[in-house]
Amino acid sequence: MTTPDPESLLLERVLETIARYDLLPRGRRPAEDAEPVVVGVSGGPDSVALVHVLDRLARDGRLAIAPVIAHLHHGVRGPEADRDAALVADLADRLALPYHVERADIPAEAAARGVGVEEAGRDARRRFFRETARQYGARAVALGHHGGDRVETILFHILRGTGIDGLAALGPRAPLAPQEGIAIVRPLVHPSINREIVLAYLERTGLAWREDATNADTDYTRNRLRHEVLPLLARAVNPAVEEALFRLADQAEAAQAVLGDALDTVWREIVREVPPVIPSERSESRNLAVHSSTPAGSRRAGSRAPREILIDADDFAPLRPWLQGAILRRAVERLGGGLKHMSAARTQEVVAALLSKTVAGPVELPDGLIAERRRRVIRIGPRHPGEGEP
């Protein structure tokens, strides 16, 4: 049997993924009409291969895009990070593509916020990609996660006790700045694109890349899944375990979309987003009905995020537990709170407290937010000035 050419194989599979999920505009357009697409390039093999593939497909007229290379110098690995940035700059010169780079001190940000370096780095990258997309007028930020990454992530989430959101992780498209129409796209997320195919493509095309030595260290859980657990499952349980996990992810993503529509409907019916309530209006606000004729999603793009959310307690109480938890988590997220500490168990605890007739006082939420019930209204927002700790 003839071994497929790794160049044509990767190009065809990327085009297939783009077409299936409508990730990027296809076809030939004049250069001035090509749509800018920010491509996150770390210097690792996946992102280097991605930008090279997208550039080739743009040049031969199969994609109507104008790639922009974006690199965040995160300040974590010292001289190694400098060499990453230098390689990406050389790649941009070789491809004659615009290159946007910024520096960040992730360890300092993590210390200032009291979070881990991984969480601070993830937040910094998302912020960097949003700002870069705005600067270049791009609606898509392409990242180099491939099908193998998706499989490992799903298995990792399953083993940690995930819900449906975790099963749908690393999908082909994800929101980045929804009100502005900016999304993350992952053209390499194809069931049969994995690290081996990416490396074969790089070897055939003569592209240089930077390898993070921690990728081979099995002390890291993800690497252990990649190098030990998945091969064991393939030998002992199901030779097609990766394809099975990929199908599960696709089904979870489809179910997530249906549940998202249901959440949107209920949100519009029982939730009102309002600016902060000043102290003199507190007693009055707590007796307000929260039904609103203005849908939560109908505000102008880029409008100021709410600082307080009111929920009709009578309508909230009979909802299914999943919807109750989803409303609470969305409210926390809309108010700028992080969801890392809003696990399924913690979410259930907060909902139970809000619906209990015996709990007095506010319930603590992440990032200084509280949830409290006053008669027929559940209020989620910052603690009012003058309110003490419970």
Side-chain angles (χ1 to χ4, degrees):
M1 180 180 293
T2 304
T3 302
D5 171 51
E7 285 189 72
S8 58
L9 187 66
L10 190 59
L11 289 166
E12 289 170 5
R13 290 176 180 175
V14 167
L15 269 178
E16 180 183 332
T17 303
I18 290 171
R20 178 178 179 184
Y21 299 103
D22 194 22
L23 301 183
L24 297 170
R26 286 164 286 154
R28 186 184 299 275
R29 294 183 191 171
E32 60 273 16
D33 293 334
E35 185 169 311
V37 172
V38 173
V39 187
V41 183
S42 65
D46 306 328
S47 60
V48 168
L50 173 64
V51 73
H52 191 262
V53 166
L54 293 181
D55 182 57
R56 288 181 64 174
L57 294 174
R59 291 179 188 276
D60 69 14
R62 285 187 277 182
L63 291 179
I65 64 171
V68 176
I69 291 179
H71 177 77
L72 180 65
H73 188 302
H74 45 62
V76 174
R77 292 164 50 233
E80 291 295 308
D82 294 335
R83 286 189 275 272
D84 292 345
L87 181 140
V88 177
D90 289 343
L91 178 63
D93 286 342
R94 171 176 173 174
L95 300 179
L97 293 176
Y99 174 47
H100 184 77
V101 61
E102 288 185 12
R103 299 181 73 96
D105 189 341
I106 301 301
E109 180 177 334
R113 293 174 50 197
V115 300
V117 170
E118 184 178 357
E119 181 179 351
R122 182 172 58 251
D123 293 344
R125 285 190 296 274
R126 289 182 66 87
R127 189 167 58 245
F128 167 65
F129 289 137
R130 278 196 303 268
E131 293 169 356
T132 305
R134 289 166 183 154
Q135 179 175 337
Y136 287 89
R139 295 186 298 169
V141 175
L143 301 183
H145 302 108
H146 54 65
D149 292 327
R150 192 182 192 196
V151 166
E152 293 160 15
T153 300
I154 294 159
L155 182 58
F156 178 73
H157 288 173
I158 289 172
L159 296 175
R160 295 190 66 182
T162 189
I164 195 167
D165 289 349
L167 293 178
L170 291 190
R173 178 186 294 275
L176 182 60
Q179 291 182 329
E180 301 169 61
I182 301 172
I184 289 171
V185 298
R186 299 184 174 95
L188 297 182
V189 174
H190 184 285
S192 57
I193 294 180
N194 53 29
R195 182 175 176 81
E196 289 69 31
I197 289 175
V198 168
L199 293 178
Y201 178 88
L202 294 172
E203 182 177 356
R204 178 63 64 92
T205 55
L207 290 168
W209 75 91
R210 298 271 304 158
E211 186 65 83
D212 186 342
T214 62
N215 285 338
D217 189 344
T218 55
D219 286 340
Y220 291 88
T221 304
R222 296 292 188 95
N223 295 337
R224 192 175 300 122
L225 292 177
R226 176 186 306 146
H227 298 297
E228 298 177 3
V229 177
L230 278 167
L232 175 62
L233 290 173
R235 291 194 305 270
V237 180
N238 180 4
V241 61
E242 295 193 12
E243 290 86 346
L245 288 170
F246 211 96
R247 286 196 303 273
L248 175 64
D250 276 347
Q251 292 165 5
E253 191 171 17
Q256 188 182 46
V258 174
L259 292 172
D261 289 343
L263 173 59
D264 290 341
T265 298
V266 175
W267 184 273
R268 287 191 296 267
E269 292 174 350
I270 75 169
V271 174
R272 182 152 59 92
E273 301 180 8
V274 296
V277 180
I278 62 175
S280 63
E281 295 175 342
R282 285 180 57 195
S283 60
E284 179 182 352
S285 70
R286 286 173 173 170
N287 293 315
L288 290 175
V290 300
H291 293 286
S292 173
S293 60
T294 303
S298 66
R299 296 199 311 275
R300 290 179 292 108
S303 62
R304 187 169 65 90
R307 288 298 175 264
E308 185 166 80
I309 288 177
L310 304 179
I311 305 169
D312 188 298
D314 291 340
D315 288 336
F316 181 79
L319 294 175
R320 292 182 181 275
W322 181 88
L323 270 174
Q324 292 172 335
I327 288 172
L328 177 63
R329 288 171 60 84
R330 176 180 284 189
V332 170
E333 193 170 33
R334 291 284 295 128
L335 293 164
L339 295 180
K340 179 179 179 181
H341 300 294
M342 288 297 294
S343 64
R346 177 55 183 162
T347 300
Q348 290 172 0
E349 289 175 1
V350 175
V351 169
L354 292 172
L355 297 180
S356 171
K357 295 181 180 179
T358 60
V359 174
V363 181
E364 297 294 316
L365 296 173
D367 298 302
L369 299 173
I370 62 168
E372 56 183 347
R373 179 176 179 179
R374 292 294 183 267
R375 299 181 183 176
R376 297 177 56 193
V377 175
I378 293 171
R379 172 188 172 267
I380 301 175
R383 190 180 298 279
H384 284 307
E387 269 186 338
E389 296 295 329

